[in-house]
Amino acid sequence: MPDIVVGVAAQDGTVGRRVGDALSKGGLTLATRVSSAEQIVAAPVVRFDVVVLAGSASGSRRAADIRLVRERLAGVEAVVVSSAPGGRGVRKALAAGAGGFVFESELMTSLAITVRAVAAGQVAIPRQLVHHADKPALSPREKQILGMVVLGFQNQEIAAKLHLAETTVKSHLSSTFKKLDVGSRKEAAALVLDHREGLGPGILSMPGTEGPPGGAPLRP
């Protein structure tokens, strides 16, 4: 089997060296290691099969890096190494075209395997992140309340319009934020409204409705 040639972009030199060690241990060819995706795509003399993007970049920044690699290096796949303990960013990474996702804490055991799988045309992510790859399943009430949050309503206003206790609204929002893997109303609204990297308003739709749900109250 031909060698899989890998390029690495890691702003943190220590992380970059660990990534290189994990690739070498897995029998992969490390062609170059630089600090940014821009430097990777500016190395035309090297033909990569896979590019590993490592570090603590935000979800949006990482998505931009992935798209840059995919657009400028035709046929090259991208694997993201994340230092974040949770799955935040995996949905954006996959939507941007990443083929693999590896936790920094699991480099030595998972990176080479993931790179080989991605080079073979597979998508490889940790088992615990599988539920992050698809749109989360929200209940009708969660969709209704999230839709009102997107429209700018505050908890007290939502409670009054839906004839609910404010604590009930907060409880539904807490559950929704956990499913969306966000930490605030602002993040939740951005995730819904972002057509390119987010979930899109379609997540709010319910059978027989159009747009953000805010019609007849549901039973709590």
Side-chain angles (χ1 to χ4, degrees):
M1 179 179 179
D3 287 346
I4 296 173
V5 180
V6 185
V8 175
Q11 188 171 10
D12 185 305
T14 300
V15 175
R17 287 189 291 273
R18 290 183 59 213
V19 169
D21 290 344
L23 293 171
S24 297
K25 180 183 177 182
L28 298 170
T29 301
L30 174 59
T32 188
R33 188 176 72 222
V34 294
S35 61
S36 70
E38 288 80 4
Q39 290 175 314
I40 281 284
V41 301
V45 296
V46 180
R47 176 62 173 88
F48 305 113
D49 297 299
V50 176
V51 166
V52 176
L53 301 169
S56 57
S58 67
S60 296
R61 176 66 246 181
R62 183 61 73 223
D65 288 344
I66 295 165
R67 288 197 300 271
L68 179 66
V69 169
R70 299 278 291 174
E71 291 167 3
R72 296 279 295 277
L73 302 177
V76 176
E77 302 293 342
V79 171
V80 172
V81 173
S82 175
S83 57
R88 187 167 298 176
V90 66
R91 191 180 292 113
K92 281 190 174 184
L94 295 176
F101 197 92
V102 177
F103 288 123
E104 191 177 305
S105 60
E106 299 173 356
L107 279 176
M108 298 307 290
T109 57
S110 300
L111 183 58
I113 295 172
T114 299
V115 168
R116 290 185 185 281
V118 170
Q122 304 297 309
V123 174
I125 62 175
R127 184 186 299 275
Q128 65 265 40
L129 297 185
V130 170
H131 68 285
H132 289 276
D134 297 317
K135 289 186 177 182
L138 302 180
S139 71
R141 178 61 86 190
E142 288 170 342
K143 292 179 180 180
Q144 188 178 39
I145 292 175
L146 178 59
M148 296 181 76
V149 167
V150 171
L151 291 173
F153 289 97
Q154 298 302 309
N155 289 358
Q156 187 175 7
E157 297 172 307
I158 295 172
K161 286 183 176 294
L162 300 184
H163 307 290
L164 299 173
E166 192 171 350
T167 54
T168 301
V169 173
K170 291 180 179 178
S171 177
H172 282 301
L173 281 178
S174 177
S175 173
T176 299
F177 289 176
K178 184 176 181 179
K179 290 180 181 180
L180 298 181
D181 197 16
V182 298
S184 69
R185 303 164 70 90
K186 183 178 180 180
E187 286 184 24
L191 189 62
V192 171
L193 295 174
D194 188 338
H195 291 270
R196 185 168 187 177
E197 298 175 5
L199 297 172
I203 192 175
L204 302 177
S205 63
M206 294 183 289
T209 68
E210 295 183 1
L218 303 173
R219 295 173 63 92

